[in-house]
Amino acid sequence: MKTKLIAALLGISILGSWAQQQSEIKKLEWLLGTWETRTPKGKLYETWIKKSNSEFQAKSYYLNKKDTIMFERVQLVEKDKKLHYIVSVTGQHHEQPVDFVSTAGSNSTALVFENQQNDFPQIITYKKIAKDSLFAEISGKMNGKIAKQAFPMKKIK
């Protein structure tokens, strides 16, 4: 009887832990879909899909006239009780992924990721403004000076 009780409590504890991890990424489902912004290089699109209950994936690309130019691929995963924004940018870091880790400033409507070892950016931020709009920003030091790039985005699907 005592063994069954311990096994049941262990099972509940594991399921509770799993549910808590799943709920963190589930709170971010507002990010799923295709987002658009205009830049000097053309229209920038970011499309997020749910790969699994613990991982979202995104691809960013520019449309300039009829040309599609891949820009980056992103994995948003939960590990070590943190969200990780793992990005591979075309033409940077030998196409190797760079890991940015969520900070204490992150919540269900504002995501803040940091990697102080990265050249630029060191901080990536997403803020939900409304159901169909978000504000993304990359920031940090570039050539010894504080720099920022803002991407106000509208959801198109």
Side-chain angles (χ1 to χ4, degrees):
M1 179 71 169
K2 190 175 185 180
T3 305
K4 288 182 180 178
L5 180 61
I6 291 171
L9 290 174
L10 182 60
I12 290 170
S13 175
I14 290 170
L15 285 174
S17 172
W18 178 82
Q20 181 180 359
Q21 285 182 345
Q22 300 308 311
S23 68
E24 289 307 308
I25 203 154
K26 185 166 179 55
K27 292 176 190 175
L28 305 176
E29 287 187 348
W30 59 266
L31 193 56
L32 300 175
T34 299
W35 301 85
E36 174 189 66
T37 191
R38 295 180 189 273
T39 75
K41 294 180 182 178
K43 289 184 180 179
L44 174 65
Y45 295 90
E46 193 165 284
T47 300
W48 286 89
I49 63 166
K50 183 177 182 176
K51 184 71 174 176
S52 71
N53 286 335
S54 59
E55 179 181 352
F56 293 171
Q57 290 184 352
K59 60 181 178 178
S60 295
Y61 52 94
Y62 285 99
L63 276 185
N64 192 348
K65 298 179 185 167
K66 292 184 179 181
D67 292 330
T68 301
I69 303 159
M70 283 304 297
F71 178 58
E72 66 185 18
R73 295 190 183 278
V74 180
Q75 291 177 281
L76 182 60
V77 296
E78 185 165 355
K79 60 183 179 181
D80 306 325
K81 298 183 182 178
K82 297 268 188 181
L83 288 172
H84 290 255
Y85 184 98
I86 305 165
V87 60
S88 299
V89 180
T90 302
Q92 293 183 12
H93 303 286
H94 306 289
E95 312 295 321
Q96 294 300 306
V98 178
D99 189 1
F100 291 79
V101 181
S102 61
T103 69
S106 292
N107 59 50
S108 63
T109 60
L111 301 166
V112 182
F113 301 96
E114 279 191 18
N115 180 337
Q116 292 299 322
Q117 307 308 310
N118 193 45
D119 51 2
F120 183 83
Q122 290 89 41
I123 301 170
I124 299 171
T125 305
Y126 284 83
K127 291 181 184 173
K128 180 180 180 183
I129 305 300
K131 186 176 180 178
D132 67 344
S133 62
L134 68 80
F135 182 81
E137 181 178 79
I138 58 174
S139 60
K141 287 189 177 180
M142 186 180 346
N143 301 322
K145 296 181 182 178
I146 299 294
K148 292 182 180 188
Q149 288 180 305
F151 303 92
M153 303 187 95
K154 288 285 182 192
K155 192 170 201 174
I156 60 170
K157 57 179 169 170

